[in-house]
Amino acid sequence: MTPQQIEQVQSSFAKVAPIAEQAAVIFYDRLFAQVPAIRAMFPQDMREQHKKLMATLAIVVGGLGDLPTVLPAASALARRHVGYGVTPEHYQVVGGALLYTLEQGLGSDWTAELAAAWTSAYTLLSNYMITEAYGAPATA
């Protein structure tokens, strides 16, 4: 990622943070609509999960400029997700739900350039997590 892309991701996430609960609802609604079987991996009451999602995103986005600070947590998260039944293929669906959520949350501030920056960030982190959990990144 370029420094400009990191800045774009961080500044756009700052615009989504005030609507964190709504963004989390959009994300999970989209995820479950895309792959209904994933719903069984989550608790019935999603409020705590919404908070965890947004807190994790905040940490990762905040650490993009210094990746070594977030990679150990990303590795641990990836390994935990294996136990929940997450497969490498799920990462692509999650990425799509994330981009959709950002597009909805940012409205007219969502541009092709910003989408590319977020795609770069997500691809970097998801490939790392897949490698940590399964040994090799999935091809997109």
Side-chain angles (χ1 to χ4, degrees), residues 2 34 72 81 103-104 129 132 138:
T2 68
Q34 295 291 308
H81 277 75
E103 180 179 8
Q104 298 303 302
M129 290 175 71
E132 289 294 294

Side-chain angles (χ1 to χ4, degrees), residues 83-125:
Y84 304 144
V86 172
T87 66
E89 295 76 22
H90 288 134
Y91 282 82
Q92 184 175 1
V93 179
V94 168
L98 176 62
L99 294 176
Y100 176 82
T101 300
L102 293 162
E103 180 179 8
Q104 298 303 302
L106 293 168
S108 63
D109 287 340
W110 185 252
T111 64
E113 185 180 9
L114 185 55
W118 271 97
T119 299
S120 179
Y122 184 77
T123 300
L124 176 75
L125 266 294

Side-chain angles (χ1 to χ4, degrees), residues 63 66-77 79 124-125 128-129 132:
D66 187 12
L67 279 178
T69 64
V70 296
L71 292 181
S75 177
L77 183 65
R79 290 191 304 275
L124 176 75
L125 266 294
Y128 175 79
M129 290 175 71
E132 289 294 294

Side-chain angles (χ1 to χ4, degrees), residues 2 5 7 9 11 16 18-19 30 34 37 41 46-47 54 56 69 83 93 99 112 114 119 124 129 131 134:
T2 68
Q5 287 177 315
E7 156 57 30
V9 168
S11 64
V16 174
I19 60 160
R30 180 68 170 196
Q34 295 291 308
M41 295 179 184
M46 291 290 291
R47 287 178 288 197
M54 298 310 290
T56 300
T69 64
V93 179
L99 294 176
L114 185 55
T119 299
L124 176 75
M129 290 175 71
T131 299
Y134 307 99

